[in-house]
Amino acid sequence: MTIRCRCSLLLVLIVFILCASLVSSETWVQDHNEVLNRTRRQAQVLDYSQQFQACLSGPSAVRGHCRYAQACVLAEFKQDPKRALDYVCIIEQKYVGICCPDNFRGPIEKWNWNSQEALSICNGERQISTVSQLAQSFARVVEQAQPRTLAGQQKVDNKISAPPLFESNVCGRNGKQASRINEGKASEVNDWPWTVALKRPYERDNFCGGVLINQRWVLTAAHCILFNGLKRVSDLIVRLGEYDFSKTNETQFTDIPAMAVRAFPRFSEQNYEHDIALVKLSQKVVYNAFVRPVCLPQPGEFYEGSMAIVTGWGTLSYGGEKSDILMEVPIPVWKIQDCRKQFSQNIFDTNLCAGGYKGGQDSCQGDSGGPLLFQMPNKQWTIIGVVSWGINCGVTPGVYVQVNNYLKWIYNNAKDVSG
């Protein structure tokens, strides 16, 4: 196999299991009576008829708006409370809400469960800031919830059913329309403010790419941080806000040394399975027009047949010159069975493949670790893949790590944005 290098405001685990089993200990309930009484008083001023941000509702991605959960009691929740996990949204960074379909006209009613504690969380009566301490207790229940899978596909043990919201109010916003990106070309100055460059302190150019996912963490490929001769973690420099490496005044780029690196523990250097890693920055990022995080994808989503965008400063052809300017290339995501026919190497269920069906359009050398991006119907961009490997450039589809297979690991390792 020929491998080519392609090279907080609030961080909350959204735990929304709608059943009485979440809270079974009377002692535990008594310990939180005082907090519950305070949040009940807060609930008295909530306007349950109010609609908040636009969102995609449920597995079918129906257009909707975030509402207090009490105002959107769908019939399917009553049949199977865990279905509500597919509809979770956040209201004003304070409340758990439901992404309610715009055509829903049901009554505003109380959830029919026995547990007052679970009720106070699910119907929006308790602020998230007051329940964050309960996350560990609820996480055990979330762990047991099974993610949705396609028929015949194996479950991946590191998925998480309720995805963390990383900077959901600011992530993935750039004003670009995916439908208007129809060819590979140089991007505009601040089109992709989450794309970062990984470089050494004594070199001008980057050797890999990555994406900012919150104020302290960058997502990249494992081989980028393990196979590039870095003797110390601080030798890894993350450049944020870069656009054109040949100029110094077109953006307000910032170089931040790495503080820690974490490769996925089961990464294989033989076949590049689980080629994903995290880099912790030595200081918090200040968001601006040139620096902003990307959104993490939803669990259980599949992107085969969708158009995606890959960005990076890699070479424009195999063995060619690197680009000084950040490039963007639209490429379709292949069906996994069609991709496997193109390779003698293993293509795992945790991979996805993307590239021009007739060749030509692809990521290339130096793009490793960079993002494969998908624009959601709400116009926010999410990272669905991390550039991993391929054969030459544009001959076969590129092989990417499918990010939503690793949400649990990403959350567990990147939730800390403190010093």
Side-chain angles (χ1 to χ4, degrees), residues 155-176:
K155 291 182 173 64
V156 180
D157 61 3
N158 55 359
K159 283 187 178 179
I160 188 169
S161 296
L165 291 181
F166 274 55
E167 311 286 6
S168 61
N169 59 326
V170 296
C171 70
R173 300 183 187 276
N174 65 355
K176 288 183 72 74

Side-chain angles (χ1 to χ4, degrees), residues 145-197:
Q146 295 299 313
R148 291 174 288 119
T149 58
L150 293 178
Q153 185 187 26
Q154 295 181 348
K155 291 182 173 64
V156 180
D157 61 3
N158 55 359
K159 283 187 178 179
I160 188 169
S161 296
L165 291 181
F166 274 55
E167 311 286 6
S168 61
N169 59 326
V170 296
C171 70
R173 300 183 187 276
N174 65 355
K176 288 183 72 74
Q177 300 291 326
S179 60
R180 297 180 181 177
I181 306 174
N182 50 30
E183 62 179 345
K185 60 182 179 62
S187 65
E188 298 297 327
V189 172
N190 60 346
D191 277 352
W192 309 107
W194 40 81
T195 301
V196 306

Side-chain angles (χ1 to χ4, degrees), residues 49 133 166:
S49 65
Q133 297 176 355
F166 274 55

Side-chain angles (χ1 to χ4, degrees), residues 8 215-217 259-260 262 280-284 415-419:
S8 95
Q215 288 184 298
R216 289 297 291 269
W217 291 89
M259 177 181 179
R262 296 176 186 173
K280 186 174 186 180
L281 304 176
S282 57
Q283 65 188 58
K284 279 188 177 182
K415 61 185 177 181
D416 179 18
V417 295
S418 64

